[in-house]
Amino acid sequence: MINMTQTLSHLEALRAQLREALFLDLDDYGLEEPEGGLFTSRFLGIELNSAFQAIYDSAAGELFGHEALLRPSLGREQTISPEFAFSYAEQAGRLVKFDRIARTLHVLNFRQIHAENGLLFLNVHPSLLLSVNAHGRVFERILHTNSVPTKRVVIEIRERVIEQDKQLQEAVQNYRERGYHIAIDGFGAKRSNLDRLWKLSPEFVKLDHSLIQEAEQHAGLRKGLVNLVSLVRDLGAQPVITGIETQTQLEIAIQSGATLLQGYLLGKPSIARELQTLQVFRPTIRVAA
């Protein structure tokens, strides 16, 4: 009875906080906290869940943070892509609120992984990045009510889908002034702009997953990866190699000089309660005879 009472009290307090901070009436969004502390939600008939993929620091041999990923479904069985869910919300004229509830869900579930430590990497929809005023202010309130400071949040921006440099710089500056970190995502794919990295000065640059895959297939490209990692560091950012799926790719990634690593080999996206918070990363490097 005590546990049930505490859960109900917690949810009521949370509803009040979110209604005030995000202007969301959560009775309409079906926020639930089933047994085990996993938060879920419903929006426009879509079931929403959070998944997290670990980012490891190979030099320190420990978790560095997690990227939050939305896992939407219809009827809890038919999965749909996040892109489809966001597009559906945009067509319904509810994109801003959809984004807010999705990010709120990620924060609530993130606390199940790291109560005090670790960074949370969050993707921002390009339309909202350029159109919503006071970037980060509203979200900052929900972070604070859940004891997650902005300095633990990394805003991921997919560089190649943004064309308006001036607006992008203003949005990034707004987030940074509030204490958020910035990551450029998918860098190194087609249409990547090195000059944009210089202008934005992100704390992190996530290299496109295609780079490590191509480096595995073509030995001549591995030096190029080393040079790219060095270049990112020279610009004052930490490179993150993503898309690591094989042992060979892991070896190439570490030999490139990068220490922040992400990919299915190191950990698939999982819901919060399935993640082992104390599990540390120990890279296995084969030494050629």
Side-chain angles (χ1 to χ4, degrees):
M1 179 65 68
I2 295 177
N3 289 339
M4 180 61 71
T5 300
Q6 290 175 338
T7 297
L8 291 175
S9 175
H10 174 66
L11 281 176
E12 288 306 314
L14 181 61
R15 289 174 190 275
Q17 292 168 356
L18 296 183
R19 187 180 294 111
E20 177 186 357
L22 300 184
F23 308 106
L24 295 176
D25 185 347
L26 292 177
D27 288 334
D28 296 334
Y29 298 99
L31 183 75
E32 297 179 356
E33 186 183 13
E35 185 177 354
L38 179 67
F39 283 89
T40 62
S41 183
R42 291 187 302 277
F43 187 90
L44 298 175
I46 302 174
E47 302 282 343
L48 301 177
N49 292 275
S50 296
F52 298 89
Q53 186 171 35
I55 298 173
Y56 287 97
D57 183 342
S58 63
E62 61 185 19
L63 283 165
F64 184 79
H66 289 84
E67 178 180 358
L69 303 165
L70 191 64
R71 289 293 182 260
S73 62
L74 300 175
R76 300 188 179 183
E77 294 182 0
Q78 182 182 349
T79 59
I80 58 177
S81 69
E83 292 77 16
F84 178 86
F86 273 99
S87 177
Y88 180 71
E90 186 171 21
Q91 292 174 11
R94 310 295 292 278
L95 180 59
V96 172
K97 287 192 173 182
F98 182 82
D99 176 74
R100 287 179 181 175
I101 193 65
R103 283 198 273 172
T104 298
L105 196 63
H106 292 328
V107 171
L108 295 175
N109 287 319
F110 176 67
R111 292 195 64 200
Q112 309 299 318
I113 307 172
H114 279 309
E116 302 296 338
N117 301 300
L119 297 183
L120 172 62
F121 286 69
L122 285 174
N123 294 280
V124 174
H125 192 282
S127 298
L128 296 179
L129 183 71
L130 299 179
S131 64
V132 177
N133 292 326
H135 300 283
R137 186 198 323 173
V138 173
F139 188 52
E140 182 179 359
R141 295 183 67 183
I142 192 57
L143 287 171
H144 287 172
T145 59
N146 285 277
S147 303
V148 179
T150 54
K151 66 181 181 180
R152 289 181 58 195
V153 178
V154 182
I155 301 297
E156 287 196 25
I157 301 169
R158 198 151 188 85
E159 177 255 354
R160 68 172 180 264
V161 300
I162 304 296
E163 298 296 338
Q164 303 95 325
D165 271 3
K166 185 175 185 298
Q167 287 178 290
L168 178 58
Q169 285 179 262
E170 291 175 354
V172 165
Q173 183 62 24
N174 194 304
Y175 274 115
R176 185 168 279 130
E177 287 175 354
R178 296 185 178 279
Y180 297 92
H181 300 295
I182 301 297
I184 296 299
D185 187 27
F187 190 79
K190 295 179 180 178
R191 298 176 60 194
S192 283
N193 189 331
L194 186 60
D195 184 56
R196 184 171 282 173
L197 284 189
W198 180 265
K199 292 178 180 177
L200 297 179
S201 300
E203 285 77 18
F204 303 95
V205 175
K206 300 187 76 175
L207 303 185
D208 192 76
H209 61 85
S210 64
L211 295 179
I212 193 66
Q213 295 168 0
E214 291 174 1
E216 181 181 28
Q217 297 299 320
H218 306 284
L221 298 178
R222 298 177 189 180
K223 185 176 181 179
L225 183 61
V226 172
N227 292 338
L228 183 56
V229 166
S230 178
L231 177 62
V232 169
R233 283 221 173 94
D234 288 343
L235 292 174
Q238 294 190 64
V240 183
I241 295 189
T242 70
I244 299 172
E245 298 181 354
T246 68
Q247 177 66 28
T248 299
Q249 290 175 5
L250 175 60
E251 294 170 10
I252 294 170
I254 293 177
Q255 290 165 2
S256 74
T259 59
L260 299 184
L261 312 172
Q262 181 180 5
Y264 271 42
L265 178 69
L266 307 176
K268 296 181 179 180
S270 303
I271 60 176
R273 66 184 175 207
E274 293 178 353
L275 294 170
Q276 300 296 320
T277 60
L278 299 179
Q279 189 177 39
V280 295
F281 171 65
R282 293 289 184 267
T284 301
I285 303 298
R286 289 193 297 265
V287 180

